[in-house]
C-alpha cells in the first residue's frame, strides 16, 4: 500500500496567524488532521474562538491552543511564536496568513487603512519570521509558508495597499528563503486566486459600490472573470499545496510563489 507522504508531520508544531476563520482556520484544520499541534491566532468573539479551538481539538485529536496576538503589535507577534515554543517545546511550521483588505480609488484611499493593511499583510510576517527563524535554525529544520495572493504577481484597480503588501510579501519570501536555505528551512509563498472567505464576501459589496455595478456582476465580471476556471478556489485545494510545502516532499521547494488561482496569472 502507498505510504502517507504527510505522516512525518505528526507531532510537529505549527503557528498559523489569522486562523480563527477563513483560509487560516481551514489550514489549521488540515494540519491538525495530520497530527500537528497548532496554535491558532486571530481577533474576534472570545466565545466563538474557543468554540472553534475546542471543536478542532475534539475532531482531530491533535492539541490546539490559541494566542490572541494583535498583528499590529510587534511584541505580541513575537510572544505568539514564543508561546508555541513554551507550550510545545519546538516550532516546525509558521504560516503567515493574517490579512485585511480595503477597496478604494488611490486618491480616496484612507491613510489609516493603507497603514493597517501594510502592517497586517506584510510587516506582521516579518515580525513572526524574525522570531521563528532562530528556533528553526536550532532544530535544523523548519517550514515558513506565506499566504500571498495572485495579487502578489498581478494587480487589480482599487487595491493599492493590498497589492503593494502582497508584492512585498513575495519579495520578503524570496529573501528569507536565500538566508535560511542551508539550515534545513524553507520559505515559500502560496498565491491563491479568489477563495470564498469572509474577506472576499465583504469585497463583493465594496467592489459593487466602487464600480457602480451589482454584486452579481462583481462575482461574474470582476472576480471570476480573472480565473479561467470560472470557479472559486477551494480550501481543500489550498490545503493540498500547504501540506506539500511543509512536508518532507517539499524540502527542495524554496523561495517560490505557488499559484493556486485557476490560471489567473497565466494570462
Amino acid at each position: 500500500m502507498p505510504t502517507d507522504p504527510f505522516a512525518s508531520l505528526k507531532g510537529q508544531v505549527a503557528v498559523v496567524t489569522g486562523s480563527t476563520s477563513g483560509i487560516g482556520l481551514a489550514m489549521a484544520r488540515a494540519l491538525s488532521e495530520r497530527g500537528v499541534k497548532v496554535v491558532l491566532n486571530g481577533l474576534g468573539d472570545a466565545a466563538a474562538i474557543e468554540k472553534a479551538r475546542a471543536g478542532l481539538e475534539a475532531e482531530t485529536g491533535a492539541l490546539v491552543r490559541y494566542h490572541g496576538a494583535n498583528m499590529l503589535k510587534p511584541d505580541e507577534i513575537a510572544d505568539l511564536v514564543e508561546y508555541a515554543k513554551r507550550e510545545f517545546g519546538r516550532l516546525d511550521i509558521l504560516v503567515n496568513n493574517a490579512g485585511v483588505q480595503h477597496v478604494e480609488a488611490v486618491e480616496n484611499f484612507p491613510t489609516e487603512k493603507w497603514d493597517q493593511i501594510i502592517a497586517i499583510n506584510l510587516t506582521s510576517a516579518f515580525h513572526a519570521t524574525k522570531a521563528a527563524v532562530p528556533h528553526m535554525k536550532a532544530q535544523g529544520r523548519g517550514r515558513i509558508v506565506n499566504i500571498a495572493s495572485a495579487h502578489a504577481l498581478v494587480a487589480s484597480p482599487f487595491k493599492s495597499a493590498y497589492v503593494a503588501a502582497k508584492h512585498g510579501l513575495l519579495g520578503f519570501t524570496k529573501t528569507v528563503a536565500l538566508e535560511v536555505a542551508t539550515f534545513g528551512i524553507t520559505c515559500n509563498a502560496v498565491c491563491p486566486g479568489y477563495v470564498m472567505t469572509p474577506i472576499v464576501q465583504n469585497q463583493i459589496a465594496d467592489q459593487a459600490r466602487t464600480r457602480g455595478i451589482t454584486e452579481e456582476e462583481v462575482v461574474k465580471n470582476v472576480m471570476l472573470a480573472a480565473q479561467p476556471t470560472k470557479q472559486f478556489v477551494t480550501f481543500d485545494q489550498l490545503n493540498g499545496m500547504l501540506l506539500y510545502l511543509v512536508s518532507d516532499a517539499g524540502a527542495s521547494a524554496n523561495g517560490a510563489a505557488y499559484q493556486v488561482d485557476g490560471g489567473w496569472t497565466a494570462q
Side-chain angles (χ1 to χ4, degrees):
M1 294 180 65
T3 58
D4 180 359
F6 308 130
S8 63
L9 294 176
K10 186 173 183 180
Q12 292 191 24
V13 176
V15 167
V16 185
T17 69
S19 52
T20 52
S21 67
I23 291 171
L25 182 57
M27 289 186 163
R29 179 179 299 279
L31 293 169
S32 295
E33 288 173 346
R34 270 73 184 181
V36 177
K37 303 169 187 175
V38 175
V39 179
L40 299 177
N41 158 262
L43 303 178
D45 177 73
I49 291 171
E50 173 53 24
K51 182 178 179 181
R53 186 209 65 78
L56 194 57
E57 192 170 71
E59 291 165 23
T60 65
L63 295 176
V64 181
R65 299 289 185 264
Y66 168 75
H67 189 288
N70 185 326
M71 292 294 107
L72 292 170
K73 299 182 178 180
D75 290 347
E76 293 187 15
I77 297 168
D79 190 64
L80 164 64
V81 171
E82 296 307 319
Y83 171 80
K85 181 68 164 57
R86 292 194 305 268
E87 192 74 9
F88 295 126
R90 60 186 296 114
L91 176 62
D92 302 280
I93 299 164
L94 171 64
V95 182
N96 288 309
N97 169 72
V100 293
Q101 175 66 287
H102 185 76
V103 178
E104 188 61 83
V106 68
E107 69 269 26
N108 298 321
F109 210 97
T111 299
E112 65 274 15
K113 284 293 184 182
W114 172 279
D115 292 342
Q116 179 194 49
I117 289 170
I118 297 299
I120 294 175
N121 294 23
L122 174 59
T123 308
S124 72
F126 158 72
H127 291 300
T129 302
K130 179 181 178 179
V133 164
H135 297 304
M136 293 178 174
K137 282 185 174 181
Q139 294 164 182
R141 186 189 188 282
R143 298 287 186 268
I144 302 166
V145 179
N146 296 322
I147 308 305
S149 167
H151 283 125
L153 300 162
V154 296
S156 292
F158 310 117
K159 298 182 179 180
S160 55
Y162 189 85
V163 171
K166 294 300 186 179
H167 272 65
L169 185 60
L170 183 51
F172 177 71
T173 298
K174 293 177 180 180
T175 302
V176 172
L178 297 177
E179 292 183 14
V180 301
T182 59
F183 295 92
I185 306 168
T186 65
C187 183
N188 291 286
V190 175
C191 300
Y194 280 106
V195 186
M196 188 52 78
T197 64
I199 285 180
V200 169
Q201 287 175 321
N202 290 336
Q203 273 189 64
I204 293 172
D206 287 345
Q207 289 269 19
R209 171 184 55 80
T210 303
R211 294 172 182 268
I213 59 178
T214 67
E215 294 187 8
E216 291 74 17
E217 287 172 322
V218 169
V219 172
K220 180 181 179 181
N221 300 328
V222 178
M223 292 184 171
L224 295 186
Q227 296 186 186
T229 57
K230 306 305 179 188
Q231 296 178 343
F232 285 100
V233 178
T234 70
F235 290 146
D236 284 345
Q237 290 160 355
L238 288 178
N239 290 340
M241 182 61 71
L242 172 72
L243 293 173
Y244 163 71
L245 291 175
V246 301
S247 72
D248 290 344
S252 289
N254 194 35
Y258 289 89
Q259 298 103 295
V260 187
D261 62 8
W264 177 355
T265 55
Q267 299 176 94

